[in-house]
Amino acid sequence: MAKQSSQRDLWKTREEALEALEGPLRQEAAILQDAFALMDECIAQLLTRGTKYTRVCAITMIKARNLELGCYSLALDGLAQEGGALFRPVVETLELLIYFWKDPARVDEAIEGNLPPAGKIAQKIEGNLKGLRDFLNSHASHFSFTYESLQHIADLQNLDWKVTQPHNDNVLRQNLLFLFLTLLYIVKMGACCLSMEEPLNAAFADSIDNAQEKGFRVFNVGPNTL
């Protein structure tokens, strides 16, 4: 009996988060579901094209999908900070898609195992995510005794440390927003890659625009967020 109780306690935060996704956060959860569905559709279209270029882009997106889903899972457990270790390679997949989109011949580097380091890729695409990468490196991708790395386990009210991370609707909502924005960004870049060889399907393009409009409305963010 004690073992069963311990197991329930281990997943208590996730269970409360799942209840929130069916209750006060159901709209946000639906938006995130739509974003994953758009990513799946983009991957399917890339694979259907069947060219060397689209296959490499599809593989990159599949990896991004897995990493984003891992971040989502950790957020449900109240461990979004620890999920930063997974989010670092999410940034790399996004920059890779941009890298391939700007010069499709670069997929040969991926096939031959000769891709430049992530930092070089960021320089070549003139990316603007260096600040985010640096933050993740300092406070999430590696263990650190910095305030940013440890603030989520600090119980400031009782001057103690939280061994388990409790569920909080507002915190989870912010993490859902972050996941939605990054998923949408990746889907848009996947669509750009998809359009390199033939025009993008109009219905799919409309679906992306509609998801963005609906997501911005539900999360109450402005059009310049991305």
Side-chain angles (χ1 to χ4, degrees), residues 2-144:
K3 182 178 180 180
Q4 292 178 346
S5 176
S6 177
Q7 288 176 346
R8 285 199 298 271
D9 291 344
L10 192 62
W11 301 110
K12 183 174 183 291
T13 300
R14 176 175 288 252
E15 290 169 358
E16 292 178 356
L18 291 174
E19 289 177 4
L21 296 186
E22 295 179 354
L25 299 179
R26 61 187 178 279
Q27 286 185 299
E28 290 85 350
I31 289 296
L32 211 58
Q33 186 73 30
D34 290 346
F36 273 107
L38 284 172
M39 180 174 277
D40 291 347
E41 175 61 25
C42 192
I43 291 169
Q45 289 193 38
L46 285 165
L47 290 173
T48 298
R49 298 277 175 91
T51 68
K52 177 173 62 175
Y53 174 72
T54 58
R55 280 195 297 270
V56 170
C57 292
I59 291 169
T60 305
M61 287 195 71
I62 291 170
K63 186 65 175 180
R65 183 192 190 279
N66 288 349
L67 291 165
E68 288 272 26
L69 187 57
C71 292
Y72 191 2
S73 180
L74 285 170
L76 296 179
D77 291 321
L79 302 176
Q81 170 66 28
E82 285 70 20
L86 285 182
F87 192 73
R88 177 65 178 82
V90 169
V91 174
E92 293 178 7
T93 60
L94 172 58
E95 292 183 328
L96 264 178
L97 288 173
I98 300 172
Y99 185 69
F100 297 145
W101 171 58
K102 290 195 169 188
D103 183 355
R106 289 169 171 165
V107 298
D108 288 332
E109 298 174 358
I111 294 169
E112 296 164 4
N114 293 323
L115 280 171
K120 291 289 186 182
I121 289 174
Q123 290 176 5
K124 290 188 176 184
I125 65 172
E126 298 179 346
N128 58 359
L129 298 176
K130 184 179 185 301
L132 176 58
R133 287 198 312 275
D134 290 345
F135 178 86
L136 292 170
N137 282 338
S138 298
H139 309 298
S141 299
H142 310 284
F143 181 68
S144 169

